[in-house]
């Protein structure tokens, strides 16, 4: 990866990904599946959402146009925010790591100016014009969810990433 901008973008994204996993580290299955906010989402559901609706959707489907990823996205009726009860936390975390690794591999030589390989019809006329915009979107989405996880982790067991005096 000789491209400094791409290296920087992926470095920031990987930092946010690491924060996602570190903030849920040490929570047991019950805590990971416990809804804390009125919306009902859970820490495990949020990590599952990031794996499927962000990493897989935006990188494997939109950026690369990978037919298998597109088919899975269009055909699967699973709610990414609610992993199946039989899916363990470790399976969800492994899925997130795997989708992140697949995304990194396909982005390693990406042209930031390239148009997305696929664009879903369900977005209508709105679209990102290039790979850079997609990466920036995923960084923003991941960082926003990191903040959600930080707040919810504090509500669950009092753990704070940054101690406020």
């Amino acid at each position: 990866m000789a491209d400094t901008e791409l290296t920087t973008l992926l470095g920031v994204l990987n930092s946010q990904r690491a924060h996602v996993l570190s903030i849920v580290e040490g929570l047991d299955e019950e805590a990971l599946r416990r809804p804390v906010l009125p919306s009902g989402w859970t820490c495990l559901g949020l990590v599952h959402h990031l794996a499927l609706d962000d990493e897989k959707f935006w990188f494997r489907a939109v950026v690369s146009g990978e037919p298998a990823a597109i088919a899975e996205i269009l055909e699967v009726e699973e709610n990414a925010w609610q992993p199946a009860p039989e899916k363990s936390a470790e399976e969800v975390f492994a899925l997130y790591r795997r989708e992140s690794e697949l995304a990194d591999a396909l982005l390693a030589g990406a042209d930031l100016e390239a148009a997305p390989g696929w664009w879903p019809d369900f977005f209508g006329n709105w679209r990102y014009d290039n790979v850079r915009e997609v990466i920036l979107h995923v960084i923003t989405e991941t960082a926003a969810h990191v903040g959600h996880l930080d707040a919810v982790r504090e509500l669950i067991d009092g753990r704070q990433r940054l101690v406020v005096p």
Side-chain angles (χ1 to χ4, degrees), residues 130-160:
N130 57 49
V131 172
R132 177 185 294 102
E133 291 176 345
V134 173
I135 294 172
L136 288 169
H137 170 79
V138 175
I139 289 170
T140 303
E141 176 87 0
T142 305
H145 287 319
V146 161
H148 300 140
L149 286 170
D150 281 338
V152 167
R153 177 66 190 254
E154 187 174 348
L155 291 171
I156 289 173
D157 67 1
R159 179 176 166 206
Q160 297 176 8

Side-chain angles (χ1 to χ4, degrees), residues 59-74:
F59 295 132
R60 288 179 50 208
V62 171
V63 168
S64 75
E66 183 183 312
I70 294 167
E72 288 171 21
I73 287 162
L74 294 177

Side-chain angles (χ1 to χ4, degrees), residues 6-84:
L6 180 59
T7 301
T8 301
L9 290 171
L10 294 181
V12 171
L13 179 57
N14 279 313
S15 175
Q16 294 302 315
R17 290 168 173 162
H19 190 145
V20 165
L21 294 172
S22 72
I23 199 64
V24 296
E25 184 177 32
L27 290 175
D28 62 20
E29 287 273 344
E30 187 275 326
L32 287 165
R33 293 179 186 276
R34 182 183 337 135
V36 178
L37 300 176
S39 63
W41 68 260
T42 66
C43 291
L44 194 61
L46 192 144
V47 175
H48 197 248
H49 157 73
L50 285 170
L52 299 179
D53 293 342
D54 287 280
E55 298 289 340
K56 182 179 190 174
F57 176 82
W58 287 107
F59 295 132
R60 288 179 50 208
V62 171
V63 168
S64 75
E66 183 183 312
I70 294 167
E72 288 171 21
I73 287 162
L74 294 177
E75 295 170 10
V76 173
E77 295 180 17
E78 178 183 23
N79 179 347
W81 284 91
Q82 296 178 358

Side-chain angles (χ1 to χ4, degrees), residues 104-117:
D104 283 348
L106 75 90
L107 292 170
D111 174 1
L112 293 175
E113 294 297 326

